[in-house]
Amino acid sequence: KIADLPSVAEEPSFNPNVAFLTLEIDKQKFFASVVRPRHFDVKKKYPVIVDVYGGPHHLHVVKAKRNWLIPQWLADQGFIVVAIENRGTPGRDSLWEWAIYQKFADVTLEDQVAGLKALGEKLAELDLSRVGITGWSFGGYMSALAVLKRPDVFHAAVAGAPVTDWEDYDTHYTERYLGLLPESQKAYQNASLLPMAKDLRRPL
């Protein structure tokens, strides 16, 4: 042994103000989370930020403190941050995971919209007339998709590292869920953001 390398990692000085809910939509259970400002005012209605991933291989709504530190910072700026696990995310049965097969732009977004509306019915503090969405990777794709396809629901988006056209993403991941080319060309075209780009009406 030559020496010790001391840890200089800092522990957060607070616990995120996060609550976990189960939503029942069309007889299916969806897991969701809500992060409120630390100085939450029960009399106020807050604009909403949807913190999204939505794709295979990653669970977003988990009871891990690190997942909610940035959402807490966002919430403390005057928002309520919500997350919803749509069909296609792991940890459920195969029907749940494969519901998005060749439907990246359909089932995923439909579930986010339905989950958001269900949360709005449960929580009076959510102002669904002011909704933004943000995510990274598949979540970046979902964020851009949301403002392109459902500008009636999502009013602004921040898309980090989005896949804009699935023909350009790695085959190991994509072909499992969209099929092979050229026979699955229609599924790839339907999932691509590029044909929708000309219709962008919201800040992205």
Side-chain angles (χ1 to χ4, degrees):
K1 179 177 177 178
I2 298 170
D4 289 313
L5 187 63
S7 171
V8 293
E10 288 194 35
E11 281 295 315
S13 58
F14 63 91
N15 286 317
N17 185 15
V18 58
F20 298 93
L21 301 86
T22 301
L23 307 170
E24 188 156 321
I25 304 166
D26 295 332
K27 299 182 181 177
Q28 294 199 85
K29 290 183 177 177
F30 291 79
F31 302 131
S33 63
V34 179
V35 181
R36 296 176 176 88
R38 281 181 287 169
H39 300 292
F40 176 65
D41 183 347
V42 294
K43 297 173 186 172
K44 269 184 75 173
K45 284 184 88 73
Y46 289 83
V48 180
I49 296 175
V50 178
D51 181 17
V52 67
Y53 183 76
H57 306 292
H58 173 74
L59 282 173
H60 212 49
V61 179
V62 293
K63 293 183 179 179
K65 189 175 187 177
R66 63 173 291 182
N67 273 39
W68 310 113
L69 297 176
I70 292 174
Q72 185 65 69
W73 182 88
L74 285 170
D76 289 346
Q77 311 313 304
F79 300 92
I80 290 180
V81 182
V82 304
I84 302 141
E85 297 286 20
N86 52 257
R87 283 172 290 172
T89 52
R92 306 283 284 271
D93 59 35
S94 58
L95 288 176
W96 176 273
E97 289 196 42
W98 284 97
I100 63 166
Y101 182 69
Q102 298 195 330
K103 296 177 182 174
F104 271 6
D106 303 318
V107 170
T108 53
L109 186 58
E110 289 163 13
D111 286 357
Q112 289 293 320
V113 171
L116 184 60
K117 288 180 178 175
L119 284 171
E121 289 167 9
K122 273 182 177 282
L123 305 172
E125 64 267 31
L126 301 186
D127 182 356
L128 297 191
S129 70
R130 296 183 292 164
V131 177
I133 184 167
T134 186
W136 190 268
S137 190
F138 201 100
Y141 168 75
M142 288 289 292
S143 299
L145 177 69
V147 288
L148 285 165
K149 205 167 181 184
R150 293 303 304 268
D152 56 316
V153 177
F154 301 97
H155 306 100
V158 177
V163 181
T164 55
D165 190 321
W166 290 97
E167 287 191 44
D168 293 332
Y169 200 57
D170 82 70
T171 53
H172 173 70
Y173 182 96
T174 308
E175 288 175 356
R176 271 182 283 180
Y177 303 102
L178 290 182
L180 299 175
L181 289 167
E183 56 263 38
S184 299
Q185 187 71 53
K186 190 175 178 184
Y188 282 79
Q189 287 173 343
N190 185 56
S192 177
L193 301 179
L194 301 184
M196 306 178 209
K198 66 184 185 306
D199 301 318
L200 180 65
R201 291 164 38 201
R202 299 294 193 188
L204 170 58

